[in-house]
Amino acid sequence: MTVWLDNAEISIIIGAAVFLLLFIPGLIWQYVRYGQFTARRMIGWLAVCVYGSALVVYTFVPLPSDGAAWCAEHAARANTNPFQFVDDIRRKTAGMSLTQSARSPVVLQVVFNVVLFVPFGAILRRYFGRGVVFTTAAGLLTSLAIESLQYTGLLGIYPCAIRVADVDDVITNTLGALIGALLAPAFLWWMPSAKRASEKRLQPRKVTVWRRWTGMAIDAALFFILSAAVSVAYNVYELLTRGAVSQEQPQWVLIVSVVLPVLSVFVVPAAGGRGASAGQKIVWLTPKWVDGNTLTDSNPVMRIARSLIVVGPWVATDFLSDGSTAKGVIGLVSAVILFLTVVMVPFTANRRSFSGFITRAVFVDSRDPVAGGPENKAPEPLTGAKKRELGV
């Protein structure tokens, strides 16, 4: 029991760490797949991360620290006799009371194998929207994969089986997945179904503070991920060609690690699309300019200028000498602009940030008919109510 509780604690810690690592990807997936952020489905994403970690921990941890010593003491083991657990329970609980039998390790092991896959069935059925047959089959295949990895010593990493490969585990795991799939609608009724959420994907929604901030956070995350990817790629190249990594990277690598993210996240989407950055596109927002009673995309120069107002000064400091007066001044200006960009959003009628205020751009849902909708049709005329909503 102590081992099971320890594994539960480890699973929660690892699962929470995985969730934080995958929070932005999960957020992007929600907006792309469902057109909006759903807190209850994000809770489901947390459950997926924790359960996935638990499945790995409970089926593989602890791993032998010395594979050779482990294999010298443990012969390869496997049970290919279906329902052997029935005979084991009958034999090992002979003479016990019903309560004693229920608490015996041989019974608890079977129960645990069933319970371990109940969340698998529930998550696949309700969170991912799969049917009972598909979910049960997926449970069967997943259990087979786990037992195969155990029996082959993680595909040969260990020279012998690291756990008992048991056909009964496959049977009880599959039963657990089936039970989870059947119970999911009753116990996870509060979880919005994937199908119903995706059906409302193209429905326009209000431009909120949190949507604006989410778009900014996604832009920042994509920028830093791309920047880090350039540096990592160069280090891998050096490691493969020279066998070592330099302590300082060439200047051109540093330049590319800044210029590439700026172009990819801000400039190219603004120039070639409807003016939105990558993060804004993901959360279904687009900047527009008022032209009489309609909204327009303005011209590429204006769109690019708006996209660089915040990130431009901040990036410029990377190309100036350390300690120079110009770098200090531009760095201070960049910090002020960044601060205003975040802080201004709740206090503007259209949730404008600093760049929108300077360029007179307004933000609308890209699915809104006044923005041309997702098909990029001719925009509908602005009504008086819509102008008041946009603050123009």
Side-chain angles (χ1 to χ4, degrees):
M1 184 65 71
T2 301
V3 175
W4 290 354
L5 293 177
D6 289 343
N7 283 350
E9 183 178 351
I10 294 172
S11 301
I12 292 172
I13 293 173
I14 295 176
V18 171
F19 173 74
L20 291 176
L21 184 64
L22 298 180
F23 179 80
I24 292 296
L27 192 63
I28 292 174
W29 171 254
Q30 280 204 8
Y31 274 104
V32 171
R33 185 70 177 84
Y34 309 119
Q36 65 175 332
F37 168 77
T38 305
R40 286 179 291 175
R41 288 198 63 83
M42 188 57 76
I43 293 173
W45 183 234
L46 172 61
V48 170
C49 293
V50 173
Y51 175 71
S53 301
L55 195 60
V56 173
V57 169
Y58 276 104
T59 53
F60 295 109
V61 175
L63 290 171
S65 58
D66 188 336
W70 167 269
C71 293
E73 297 179 8
H74 300 83
R77 299 168 294 169
N79 170 41
T80 58
N81 183 24
F83 299 103
Q84 177 65 42
F85 69 89
V86 177
D87 292 334
D88 292 341
I89 292 175
R90 184 185 300 113
R91 185 178 67 257
K92 293 182 180 181
T93 60
M96 293 183 180
S97 66
L98 184 60
T99 302
Q100 291 174 327
S101 299
R103 293 177 179 177
S104 65
V106 67
V107 171
L108 289 177
Q109 183 62 45
V110 173
V111 172
F112 175 78
N113 284 334
V114 174
V115 172
L116 181 62
F117 266 66
V118 169
F120 182 97
I123 289 172
L124 209 59
R125 174 80 190 280
R126 187 65 181 175
Y127 185 78
F128 290 103
R130 299 297 182 176
V132 174
V133 174
F134 179 94
T135 299
T136 306
L140 169 65
L141 293 176
T142 301
S143 183
L144 278 172
I146 291 172
E147 297 301 317
S148 298
L149 288 171
Q150 291 175 343
Y151 184 71
T152 60
L154 297 181
L155 299 179
I157 294 177
Y158 292 93
C160 66
I162 58 173
R163 296 282 183 92
V164 176
D166 196 337
V167 67
D168 284 344
D169 288 354
V170 176
I171 294 172
T172 51
N173 291 162
T174 304
L175 176 61
L178 173 60
I179 292 172
L182 294 174
L183 295 179
F187 287 93
L188 295 179
W189 54 268
W190 52 270
M191 174 66 65
S193 70
K195 181 179 180 181
R196 186 169 299 177
S198 63
E199 288 175 350
K200 299 179 180 180
R201 176 173 174 266
L202 298 182
Q203 178 180 318
R205 292 173 174 84
K206 187 177 179 180
V207 178
T208 63
V209 173
W210 287 107
R211 268 178 82 186
R212 293 287 285 115
W213 282 345
T214 298
M216 295 176 188
I218 292 174
D219 279 336
L222 292 176
F223 182 94
F224 286 113
I225 289 172
L226 285 174
S227 181
V230 172
S231 296
V232 170
Y234 181 77
N235 287 340
V236 171
Y237 168 77
E238 278 204 317
L239 191 61
L240 294 176
T241 57
R242 296 178 55 251
V245 176
S246 302
Q247 292 185 351
E248 293 187 6
Q249 294 180 334
Q251 185 66 23
W252 71 266
V253 176
L254 300 178
I255 293 174
V256 172
S257 68
V258 173
V259 173
L260 179 63
V262 170
L263 292 176
S264 302
V265 178
F266 299 101
V267 176
V268 173
R274 305 172 73 181
S277 65
Q280 290 161 359
K281 284 178 178 291
I282 289 170
V283 298
W284 299 88
L285 293 177
T286 183
K288 293 286 184 178
W289 283 261
V290 179
D291 183 10
N293 287 323
T294 60
L295 295 179
T296 70
D297 291 329
S298 189
N299 56 72
V301 174
M302 177 62 77
R303 297 200 301 263
I304 293 173
R306 190 205 62 82
S307 73
L308 290 175
I309 284 177
V310 177
V311 73
W314 180 69
V315 168
T317 60
D318 288 338
F319 300 96
L320 299 175
S321 301
D322 292 337
S324 66
T325 303
K327 183 166 186 174
V329 172
I330 294 177
L332 178 60
V333 170
S334 175
V336 172
I337 291 175
L338 185 60
F339 174 78
L340 291 175
T341 295
V342 176
V343 172
M344 285 179 64
V345 173
F347 303 102
T348 54
N350 182 239
R351 307 310 176 196
R352 284 174 173 169
S353 62
F354 183 77
S355 63
F357 178 79
I358 293 298
T359 61
R360 307 306 300 166
V362 296
F363 276 91
V364 294
D365 191 302
S366 59
R367 297 160 293 191
D368 196 314
V370 298
E375 298 87 4
N376 205 18
K377 297 178 179 178
E380 293 184 0
L382 292 171
T383 62
K386 196 66 178 181
K387 284 186 175 182
R388 288 191 294 273
E389 179 185 327
L390 296 178
V392 296

